[in-house]
Amino acid sequence: MEHIPVLLNEVIDALDVRPGLTYVDATAGAGGHLGRIAELTEGKSKLFAFDRDATSLERLAERFGDKVTTVHSNFRYLKESLEQYGVNTIDGGILADLGVSSMQIDQGERGFSFQKEGPLDMRMDRSESVSAYNIVNQWPEGALADIIYKYGEERHSRKIANRIVANRPIESTLALAEIVARCIPRAADKKNYKKSFGSAGGGYIHPATRTFQAIRMAVNEELESLEDFLRESLTILKPGARLVVITFHSLEDRIVKQFFKMAAASCICPPRAPVCTCKKETEVLIITRKPITASDDELLANTRSRSAKLRAAQKLI
Ligand SMILES: C[S@@+](CC[C@H](N)C(=O)[O-])C[C@H]1O[C@@H](n2cnc3c(N)ncnc32)[C@H](O)[C@@H]1O
C-alpha cells in the first residue's frame, strides 16, 4: 500500500517552508512530506532526511539523489548526527511524523502486522539487537503486562501476558495475534473500538492492534526516543525556526504537549514562591494552542490520519 502523508498541507503551513533555509525531516519514511518540502524549496535549501530504517533511506536516496542528504540514525541522536555533516544549527525547521510507515507494515517479514505471517521482529532499525521475539518470549510476565497496559491502553493486559507466557515459545506474528485475540471478548473489543476511534473509525479494529502497538513501542523505545529528540531539537533550532511533531498515540501527544508547555514557560518556580528565582526564559512560542487534526475529507481518504495530532512551536531565543 502506498504511504499517504498525513496532514500534508498543515505540516507545510506549520513549518512555514521557505527556499534557502535548512530543514530536517527526522522521520522521512516514504518521503511524502519531504517531497513537498523539496518542491517548495526549489533546490535552494539544504535538506536532511533521517530514518532509522535503512530500507526507507535507500528508496529516498534513489528518489531524491543529491537534493537530499540521507542520514541513517535514530532521531534521538539528531544533534550528534547533524554535527557529522558540519551542521550545528537549523534555521528552517524540523519535522517528526512518528510511528511506522505503510511500507513497513506491508512487509510481512518485518513483523509489524498482525494480519501478515512473519517473524516477531518489529525493529525499525534491523541492526538493533532487541526484537519483538525477545520481548514476547523472554520478558517476565509482569513487565509484559505493564507495557501492554501502558503503551497499548489494553484492559486485558494481564490475561494477554499470562497467555503469552503459557504459550512460549511464540514464533510468528499470526501465532501471537491469535493468542491475543482469544483473550479479548468480542463485545469488550467493540467497546474499546468505539472509545478509541469514535464514529470516524469506519471499521472493525483487530483485537491484537493494541498489543502489537505496545510491543512495537517497547522494541523501538519510541517514547524515550521522542523525549531525547525534543530536547535535542530545541538546542539546535535557531530563533525563528519551527518544530513540528505529528503523534498517533495519547502518550506521545502528552510528551510533546508537556515539552512545549515547559519550553514556552517564562517561570518554573513553585507556585507559592514569593519571588521568581528560576531565571527561566521563554524558549518557544506555541503555534498550535490545540493540536491540529485531520479534516473529514482526509479521514475518509486515509484511515491512518484518524489518530494524528500535529503540534508546532517556533524557537524564540
Ligand atoms: C510515519 S512514517 C513517516 C512518513 C513520512 N512522513 C512520509 O510522508 O512518507 C515514520 C518513519 O519514521 C521512521 N522512524 C520512526 N521513529 C524514528 C526514530 N526514532 N528515528 C528515526 N526514524 C524513525 C520510521 O522508520 C518510518 O520510516
Side-chain angles (χ1 to χ4, degrees):
M1 196 203 303
E2 187 201 350
H3 183 93
I4 309 170
V6 298
L7 298 169
L8 180 56
N9 294 330
E10 293 82 353
V11 162
I12 298 301
D13 282 351
L15 273 178
D16 189 23
V17 176
R18 280 179 278 160
L21 301 182
T22 299
Y23 292 89
V24 175
D25 186 339
T27 54
H33 294 110
L34 183 65
R36 182 64 69 81
I37 296 169
E39 263 167 43
L40 292 169
T41 50
E42 305 160 354
K44 295 177 185 144
S45 284
K46 194 138 193 50
L47 304 179
F48 288 93
F50 277 64
D51 206 295
R52 62 197 289 196
D53 184 340
T55 317
S56 301
L57 281 183
E58 278 164 26
R59 294 195 201 177
L60 291 167
E62 256 173 48
R63 174 170 162 197
F64 291 101
D66 59 9
K67 289 194 200 116
V68 164
T69 304
T70 52
V71 187
H72 184 215
S73 168
N74 186 329
F75 58 45
R76 74 192 301 178
Y77 308 119
L78 188 74
K79 192 166 180 250
E80 184 189 319
S81 304
L82 286 170
E83 273 166 12
Q84 287 173 15
Y85 294 88
V87 174
N88 300 308
T89 54
I90 296 295
D91 56 2
I94 302 173
L95 165 67
D97 168 22
L98 304 176
V100 281
S101 67
S102 307
M103 289 166 346
Q104 289 166 322
I105 293 171
D106 281 348
Q107 296 168 317
E109 75 275 13
R110 301 294 301 268
F112 290 110
S113 172
F114 45 77
Q115 286 169 323
K116 288 182 199 277
E117 182 66 313
L120 287 172
D121 190 332
M122 301 197 200
R123 288 169 303 168
M124 292 184 199
D125 180 346
R126 281 185 276 188
S127 66
E128 304 229 333
S129 54
V130 177
S131 70
Y133 187 91
N134 302 113
I135 292 180
V136 167
N137 288 302
Q138 292 160 4
W139 275 26
E141 186 178 324
L144 204 49
D146 286 349
I147 56 144
I148 296 172
Y149 183 72
K150 186 176 166 204
Y151 298 161
E153 295 168 334
E154 171 60 74
R155 291 190 297 129
H156 303 281
S157 57
R158 303 254 153 241
K159 188 169 173 198
I160 292 171
N162 178 273
R163 297 323 298 155
I164 286 176
V165 170
N167 282 283
R168 281 173 174 171
I170 302 169
E171 301 288 347
S172 77
T173 46
L174 292 188
L176 175 63
E178 202 188 315
I179 291 164
V180 174
R182 276 195 252 118
C183 298
I184 299 178
R186 226 182 126 86
D189 189 56
K190 283 251 165 74
K191 204 165 140 207
N192 268 348
Y193 157 67
K194 287 213 184 89
K195 207 173 111 203
S196 315
F197 298 115
S199 56
Y204 163 73
I205 180 177
H206 189 285
T209 307
R210 290 178 292 276
T211 299
F212 268 61
Q213 170 179 277
I215 295 171
R216 191 203 81 206
M217 289 173 75
V219 167
N220 296 290
E221 296 188 342
E222 294 182 29
L223 299 184
E224 298 85 344
S225 296
L226 174 60
E227 283 169 351
D228 291 347
F229 162 77
L230 292 169
R231 267 195 305 276
E232 297 238 318
S233 295
L234 204 59
T235 65
I236 57 173
L237 285 173
K238 276 185 125 175
R242 307 276 180 110
L243 176 58
V244 178
V245 186
I246 303 174
T247 62
F248 293 86
H249 189 285
S250 58
L251 293 176
E252 289 172 344
D253 183 55
R254 194 179 310 157
I255 289 172
V256 179
K257 181 179 167 185
Q258 291 301 336
F259 181 83
F260 281 2
K261 196 172 159 199
M262 184 59 89
S266 57
C267 171
I268 50 167
C269 289
R272 279 191 243 141
V275 285
C276 172
T277 51
C278 69
K279 300 203 171 77
K280 167 90 173 57
E281 288 182 280
T282 301
E283 294 163 281
V284 303
L285 173 74
I286 297 174
I287 297 168
T288 48
R289 284 263 136 242
K290 288 205 164 140
I292 296 175
T293 54
S295 64
D296 288 346
D297 284 350
E298 181 169 2
L299 287 171
L300 283 176
N302 184 4
T303 49
R304 272 187 69 254
S305 69
R306 62 192 172 189
S307 43
K309 286 192 173 147
L310 181 155
R311 292 187 187 266
Q314 181 172 35
K315 185 82 189 293
L316 291 179
I317 50 172

